[in-house]
Structures are given as C-alpha cells and as structure tokens.
Coordinates of all heavy atoms in Angstrom, one line a residue:
M1 N 97.5 178.7 -111.8 CA 96.8 177.5 -111.6 C 97.7 176.4 -111.0 O 98.9 176.3 -111.3 CB 96.3 176.9 -113.0 CG 94.9 176.8 -113.2 SD 94.5 175.9 -114.7 CE 92.9 176.6 -115.0
P2 N 97.2 175.6 -110.1 CA 98.0 174.6 -109.4 C 98.5 173.6 -110.5 O 97.8 173.2 -111.4 CB 97.0 173.9 -108.5 CG 95.9 174.9 -108.2 CD 95.8 175.7 -109.5
R3 N 99.8 173.2 -110.3 CA 100.5 172.4 -111.2 C 100.7 171.0 -110.5 O 101.1 170.9 -109.4 CB 101.8 172.9 -111.7 CG 101.7 173.5 -113.1 CD 103.0 174.1 -113.5 NE 104.2 173.7 -112.8 CZ 105.2 172.8 -113.3 NH1 105.0 172.3 -114.5 NH2 106.3 172.6 -112.6
L4 N 100.5 169.9 -111.3 CA 100.7 168.5 -110.7 C 102.2 168.2 -111.0 O 102.7 168.4 -112.0 CB 99.8 167.5 -111.4 CG 98.3 167.7 -111.3 CD1 97.6 166.6 -111.9 CD2 98.0 167.8 -109.9
L5 N 102.8 167.5 -110.0 CA 104.2 167.0 -110.2 C 104.1 165.6 -109.7 O 103.4 165.1 -108.8 CB 105.1 167.8 -109.2 CG 105.2 169.3 -109.5 CD1 106.0 169.9 -108.4 CD2 105.9 169.5 -110.9
A6 N 104.9 164.7 -110.4 CA 105.0 163.3 -110.1 C 106.5 162.9 -110.1 O 107.2 163.2 -111.0 CB 104.2 162.5 -111.0
D7 N 106.9 162.2 -109.0 CA 108.3 161.7 -109.0 C 108.1 160.2 -109.4 O 107.8 159.3 -108.6 CB 108.8 161.7 -107.5 CG 110.2 161.2 -107.4 OD1 110.7 160.5 -108.4 OD2 110.8 161.3 -106.3
V8 N 108.3 160.0 -110.7 CA 108.1 158.7 -111.3 C 109.0 157.6 -110.7 O 108.6 156.5 -110.5 CB 108.3 158.8 -112.8 CG1 108.2 157.4 -113.5 CG2 107.3 159.7 -113.5
K9 N 110.2 158.0 -110.3 CA 111.1 157.1 -109.7 C 110.7 156.6 -108.4 O 110.9 155.4 -108.0 CB 112.5 157.7 -109.5 CG 113.3 157.8 -110.9 CD 114.7 158.2 -110.6 CE 115.4 158.6 -111.9 NZ 116.3 159.8 -111.7
A10 N 109.9 157.4 -107.7 CA 109.4 157.0 -106.3 C 108.2 156.2 -106.4 O 107.9 155.4 -105.5 CB 109.2 158.3 -105.5
C11 N 107.4 156.3 -107.5 CA 106.2 155.6 -107.7 C 106.4 154.1 -107.6 O 107.2 153.5 -108.3 CB 105.5 156.0 -109.0 SG 104.0 155.1 -109.4
Q12 N 105.5 153.5 -106.8 CA 105.6 152.0 -106.7 C 104.4 151.3 -107.3 O 104.2 150.1 -107.2 CB 105.6 151.6 -105.2 CG 106.7 152.2 -104.4 CD 108.1 151.7 -104.8 OE1 108.2 150.5 -105.1 NE2 109.0 152.6 -104.9
G13 N 103.6 152.1 -108.0 CA 102.5 151.5 -108.8 C 101.3 151.0 -107.9 O 100.5 150.2 -108.4
Y14 N 101.1 151.6 -106.7 CA 100.0 151.1 -105.9 C 98.7 151.5 -106.5 O 97.7 150.8 -106.2 CB 100.1 151.8 -104.5 CG 101.3 151.4 -103.7 CD1 102.3 152.2 -103.3 CD2 101.4 150.0 -103.2 CE1 103.4 151.9 -102.6 CE2 102.5 149.7 -102.5 CZ 103.5 150.5 -102.2 OH 104.6 150.1 -101.4
G15 N 98.6 152.6 -107.1 CA 97.3 153.0 -107.8 C 96.3 153.7 -106.9 O 95.2 154.0 -107.4
N16 N 96.7 154.1 -105.7 CA 95.8 154.8 -104.9 C 95.4 156.2 -105.5 O 94.3 156.6 -105.4 CB 96.5 155.2 -103.5 CG 96.9 154.0 -102.8 OD1 97.2 153.0 -103.4 ND2 97.0 154.1 -101.5
C17 N 96.3 156.8 -106.2 CA 96.1 158.1 -106.8 C 95.0 158.0 -107.9 O 94.2 158.9 -108.0 CB 97.4 158.7 -107.4 SG 98.2 157.5 -108.5
I18 N 94.9 156.9 -108.6 CA 93.9 156.7 -109.6 C 92.6 156.6 -109.1 O 91.6 157.1 -109.6 CB 94.3 155.5 -110.5 CG1 95.7 155.7 -111.1 CG2 93.3 155.2 -111.5 CD1 96.2 154.4 -111.8
T19 N 92.5 155.9 -107.9 CA 91.2 155.7 -107.3 C 90.6 157.1 -106.9 O 89.4 157.3 -107.1 CB 91.3 154.9 -106.0 OG1 92.0 153.6 -106.4 CG2 90.0 154.6 -105.4
G20 N 91.4 158.0 -106.4 CA 91.0 159.3 -105.9 C 90.8 160.3 -107.1 O 89.9 161.1 -107.0
A21 N 91.6 160.2 -108.1 CA 91.5 161.2 -109.1 C 91.9 160.6 -110.5 O 93.0 160.8 -111.0 CB 92.5 162.4 -108.8
P22 N 91.0 159.8 -111.0 CA 91.3 159.1 -112.3 C 91.3 160.1 -113.5 O 91.8 159.7 -114.6 CB 90.1 158.2 -112.4 CG 89.0 158.7 -111.6 CD 89.6 159.4 -110.5
D23 N 90.9 161.3 -113.3 CA 91.0 162.3 -114.3 C 92.4 163.0 -114.3 O 92.8 163.7 -115.3 CB 90.0 163.4 -114.2 CG 89.9 164.0 -112.8 OD1 90.4 163.3 -111.8 OD2 89.4 165.1 -112.6
A24 N 93.2 162.7 -113.3 CA 94.5 163.4 -113.2 C 95.6 162.4 -113.3 O 96.7 162.7 -113.8 CB 94.6 164.1 -111.8
Y25 N 95.4 161.2 -112.8 CA 96.5 160.2 -112.7 C 96.1 158.9 -113.4 O 95.0 158.5 -113.4 CB 96.8 159.9 -111.3 CG 97.2 161.1 -110.4 CD1 96.4 161.5 -109.4 CD2 98.3 161.8 -110.7 CE1 96.7 162.6 -108.6 CE2 98.6 162.9 -109.9 CZ 97.8 163.3 -108.9 OH 98.1 164.4 -108.1
D26 N 97.1 158.3 -114.0 CA 97.0 156.9 -114.6 C 98.3 156.2 -114.4 O 99.2 156.8 -114.0 CB 96.6 157.1 -116.1 CG 96.1 155.8 -116.7 OD1 95.8 154.8 -115.9 OD2 95.7 155.7 -117.9
I27 N 98.3 154.9 -114.7 CA 99.5 154.1 -114.6 C 99.9 153.6 -116.0 O 99.0 153.1 -116.7 CB 99.4 153.0 -113.6 CG1 99.2 153.5 -112.2 CG2 100.6 152.0 -113.6 CD1 99.2 152.5 -111.1
D28 N 101.1 153.7 -116.4 CA 101.5 153.1 -117.7 C 101.9 151.6 -117.6 O 101.7 151.0 -116.6 CB 102.7 154.0 -118.2 CG 104.0 153.8 -117.5 OD1 104.1 152.9 -116.6 OD2 104.9 154.6 -117.7
D29 N 102.3 151.1 -118.7 CA 102.5 149.7 -118.8 C 103.7 149.2 -117.9 O 103.8 148.0 -117.6 CB 102.8 149.2 -120.2 CG 101.6 149.4 -121.1 OD1 100.5 149.4 -120.5 OD2 101.7 149.5 -122.3
D30 N 104.5 150.2 -117.5 CA 105.6 149.8 -116.6 C 105.3 150.0 -115.1 O 106.1 149.8 -114.3 CB 106.8 150.8 -116.9 CG 107.4 150.6 -118.3 OD1 107.4 149.5 -118.7 OD2 107.8 151.6 -118.9
G31 N 104.0 150.3 -114.9 CA 103.5 150.4 -113.5 C 103.9 151.7 -112.9 O 104.0 151.8 -111.7
K32 N 104.2 152.7 -113.7 CA 104.5 154.0 -113.2 C 103.4 155.1 -113.4 O 102.7 155.0 -114.4 CB 105.8 154.5 -113.8 CG 107.0 153.6 -113.5 CD 107.4 153.8 -112.1 CE 108.7 153.0 -111.8 NZ 109.1 153.0 -110.3
V33 N 103.3 156.0 -112.5 CA 102.2 157.0 -112.6 C 102.5 157.9 -113.9 O 103.6 158.2 -114.2 CB 102.2 157.8 -111.3 CG1 103.4 158.7 -111.2 CG2 100.9 158.7 -111.3
V34 N 101.4 158.2 -114.5 CA 101.4 159.2 -115.6 C 100.4 160.3 -115.3 O 99.3 160.1 -114.8 CB 100.9 158.5 -116.9 CG1 100.8 159.5 -118.0 CG2 101.8 157.3 -117.2
L35 N 100.8 161.5 -115.5 CA 100.0 162.7 -115.3 C 99.1 162.9 -116.5 O 99.6 162.9 -117.7 CB 100.8 163.9 -115.1 CG 101.7 163.9 -113.8 CD1 102.4 165.3 -113.7 CD2 100.9 163.7 -112.6
L36 N 97.8 162.9 -116.3 CA 96.9 163.1 -117.4 C 96.6 164.5 -117.8 O 96.1 164.9 -118.8 CB 95.5 162.4 -117.2 CG 95.6 160.9 -116.9 CD1 94.2 160.3 -116.6 CD2 96.2 160.1 -118.2
T37 N 97.0 165.4 -116.9 CA 96.9 166.8 -117.0 C 98.1 167.5 -116.3 O 98.6 166.9 -115.3 CB 95.6 167.4 -116.5 OG1 95.5 168.7 -116.7 CG2 95.4 167.0 -115.1
E38 N 98.5 168.6 -116.7 CA 99.6 169.3 -116.0 C 99.1 170.3 -115.0 O 99.7 170.5 -114.0 CB 100.5 170.1 -117.0 CG 101.3 169.1 -117.8 CD 102.4 169.9 -118.7 OE1 102.4 171.1 -118.6 OE2 103.1 169.2 -119.4
E39 N 97.9 170.8 -115.3 CA 97.3 171.8 -114.3 C 95.9 171.4 -114.0 O 95.2 170.8 -114.7 CB 97.3 173.2 -115.0 CG 98.7 173.8 -115.2 CD 98.6 175.1 -115.9 OE1 97.7 175.4 -116.6 OE2 99.6 175.9 -115.6
I40 N 95.5 171.8 -112.8 CA 94.2 171.5 -112.3 C 93.5 172.8 -111.9 O 94.2 173.8 -111.5 CB 94.1 170.5 -111.2 CG1 95.1 171.0 -110.1 CG2 94.5 169.1 -111.7 CD1 94.9 170.2 -108.8
S41 N 92.2 172.8 -111.9 CA 91.5 174.1 -111.5 C 91.5 174.1 -110.0 O 91.7 173.1 -109.3 CB 90.1 174.0 -112.0 OG 89.4 173.0 -111.3
D42 N 91.3 175.3 -109.4 CA 91.2 175.4 -108.0 C 90.1 174.6 -107.4 O 90.2 174.2 -106.3 CB 91.1 176.9 -107.6 CG 92.3 177.7 -107.8 OD1 93.4 177.1 -107.6 OD2 92.3 178.9 -108.2
A43 N 89.0 174.5 -108.2 CA 87.9 173.7 -107.7 C 88.2 172.2 -107.6 O 87.7 171.6 -106.7 CB 86.7 173.9 -108.7
D44 N 89.1 171.7 -108.5 CA 89.4 170.3 -108.4 C 90.5 170.1 -107.4 O 90.8 168.9 -107.0 CB 90.0 169.8 -109.8 CG 88.8 169.6 -110.7 OD1 87.7 169.4 -110.3 OD2 89.0 169.6 -112.0
R45 N 91.2 171.1 -107.0 CA 92.4 171.0 -106.1 C 92.2 170.1 -104.9 O 93.0 169.2 -104.6 CB 93.0 172.3 -105.8 CG 94.2 172.1 -105.0 CD 95.0 173.4 -104.7 NE 96.2 173.1 -104.0 CZ 97.3 173.8 -104.1 NH1 97.3 174.8 -104.9 NH2 98.3 173.5 -103.4
P46 N 91.2 170.3 -104.1 CA 91.0 169.5 -102.8 C 91.0 168.1 -103.1 O 91.6 167.3 -102.4 CB 89.8 170.1 -102.2 CG 89.6 171.5 -102.8 CD 90.1 171.4 -104.2
R47 N 90.2 167.7 -104.1 CA 90.0 166.2 -104.4 C 91.3 165.6 -104.9 O 91.8 164.6 -104.5 CB 88.9 166.1 -105.5 CG 88.6 164.7 -105.9 CD 87.5 164.7 -106.9 NE 87.7 165.5 -108.0 CZ 88.4 165.1 -109.1 NH1 89.0 163.9 -109.1 NH2 88.6 166.0 -110.1
V48 N 92.0 166.3 -105.8 CA 93.3 165.8 -106.4 C 94.4 165.8 -105.4 O 95.2 165.0 -105.3 CB 93.6 166.7 -107.7 CG1 95.0 166.2 -108.2 CG2 92.6 166.5 -108.7
E49 N 94.3 166.8 -104.5 CA 95.3 166.9 -103.4 C 95.2 165.7 -102.5 O 96.2 165.1 -102.0 CB 95.2 168.2 -102.7 CG 96.5 168.6 -101.9 CD 96.5 170.1 -101.7 OE1 95.5 170.7 -101.3 OE2 97.6 170.7 -101.8
E50 N 94.0 165.4 -102.2 CA 93.7 164.3 -101.3 C 94.2 163.0 -102.0 O 94.8 162.1 -101.3 CB 92.3 164.1 -101.0 CG 92.0 163.1 -99.9 CD 90.6 163.2 -99.3 OE1 90.0 164.3 -99.3 OE2 90.1 162.2 -98.8
A51 N 94.0 162.8 -103.2 CA 94.5 161.6 -104.0 C 96.0 161.6 -104.0 O 96.6 160.6 -103.8 CB 94.0 161.7 -105.4
A52 N 96.6 162.8 -104.1 CA 98.1 162.9 -104.0 C 98.6 162.4 -102.7 O 99.6 161.7 -102.5 CB 98.6 164.2 -104.4
R53 N 97.9 162.9 -101.6 CA 98.3 162.6 -100.3 C 98.1 161.1 -100.0 O 98.7 160.5 -99.1 CB 97.5 163.3 -99.3 CG 98.3 164.5 -98.7 CD 97.7 165.2 -97.5 NE 97.0 166.4 -98.0 CZ 95.7 166.7 -97.9 NH1 94.9 165.8 -97.4 NH2 95.2 167.8 -98.3
S54 N 97.2 160.4 -100.8 CA 97.0 159.0 -100.5 C 98.1 158.1 -101.0 O 98.1 156.9 -100.8 CB 95.7 158.6 -101.1 OG 95.8 158.4 -102.5
C55 N 99.1 158.7 -101.8 CA 100.2 157.9 -102.3 C 101.1 157.4 -101.2 O 101.7 158.2 -100.5 CB 100.9 158.7 -103.3 SG 102.4 157.9 -103.9
P56 N 101.2 156.2 -101.0 CA 102.1 155.6 -100.0 C 103.6 155.9 -100.2 O 104.4 155.9 -99.2 CB 101.8 154.1 -100.0 CG 100.7 153.9 -100.8 CD 100.6 155.1 -101.8
A57 N 104.0 156.2 -101.4 CA 105.3 156.4 -101.8 C 105.7 157.9 -101.7 O 106.8 158.3 -102.1 CB 105.6 155.8 -103.1
N58 N 104.7 158.8 -101.4 CA 104.9 160.2 -101.5 C 105.5 160.7 -102.8 O 106.4 161.6 -102.8 CB 105.9 160.7 -100.3 CG 105.2 160.7 -99.0 OD1 104.0 161.0 -98.9 ND2 105.9 160.2 -98.0
A59 N 104.9 160.2 -103.8 CA 105.5 160.5 -105.2 C 104.8 161.7 -105.8 O 105.2 162.2 -106.8 CB 105.3 159.3 -106.1
L60 N 103.7 162.1 -105.2 CA 102.9 163.1 -105.9 C 102.9 164.4 -105.1 O 102.8 164.4 -103.9 CB 101.5 162.6 -106.1 CG 101.3 161.3 -106.8 CD1 99.9 160.8 -106.8 CD2 101.8 161.5 -108.3
S61 N 102.9 165.5 -105.8 CA 102.7 166.8 -105.1 C 102.0 167.8 -106.1 O 101.9 167.5 -107.2 CB 104.1 167.3 -104.7 OG 105.0 167.4 -105.8
I62 N 101.6 168.9 -105.4 CA 100.9 169.9 -106.2 C 101.6 171.3 -105.9 O 101.8 171.6 -104.7 CB 99.4 170.0 -105.8 CG1 98.7 168.7 -106.2 CG2 98.7 171.1 -106.5 CD1 97.3 168.6 -105.8
E63 N 101.9 172.0 -106.9 CA 102.7 173.2 -106.8 C 101.9 174.4 -107.2 O 101.1 174.3 -108.2 CB 103.9 173.1 -107.7 CG 104.9 174.2 -107.6 CD 106.0 174.0 -108.7 OE1 105.8 174.2 -109.8 OE2 107.1 173.5 -108.3
D64 N 101.9 175.5 -106.5 CA 101.2 176.7 -106.8 C 101.9 177.5 -107.9 O 103.1 177.5 -108.0 CB 100.9 177.6 -105.6 CG 99.8 177.0 -104.7 OD1 98.8 176.7 -105.2 OD2 100.2 176.7 -103.6
Ligands
LIG101 S1 99.6 156.2 -105.5 FE1 101.8 156.8 -105.6 S2 102.9 154.9 -105.8 FE2 100.7 154.5 -106.3 S3 100.6 154.7 -108.5 FE3 100.0 156.7 -107.6 S4 102.0 157.7 -107.6 FE4 102.5 155.6 -107.9

C-alpha cells in the first residue's frame, strides 16, 4: 500500500495539501503538516498524490 511521507521541517504551513486531501493531511498548532494516516489505498492515491504535488514547499511525497 502506498505510504505517505512528510518533511515537517520543509513545511511552511501553506495548507494546500489540506484543501486537496483533508482526510490525509492536517496542520498542527505550530503550523506544521500532520499525517492523518500512514497509508492510503490505491483508489485514493491519485487524489492524495495531487494534493502532495500542490505543496509549494515540496514537503510531501508518497512511497510505494
Ligand atoms: S502544502 Fe506543504 S507547506 Fe503547506 S501545509 Fe501542506 S505540507 Fe505544509
């Protein structure tokens, strides 16, 4: 199953990822991304991958 990865240090808190995949990403009180799940289904992958790609800081990736 595809695994979500987040580089918290790179995250700038823009929130684009939450707009695209609010079931996978959230932001904590420090303005840093939080993964709401570690793995996603293949069916959810295109949508979550697009949300990850929308990150201006390139903080998000998906690993097989
Ligand atoms: S889009 Fe990128 S920079 Fe913005 S909150 Fe999400 S991970 Fe952080």
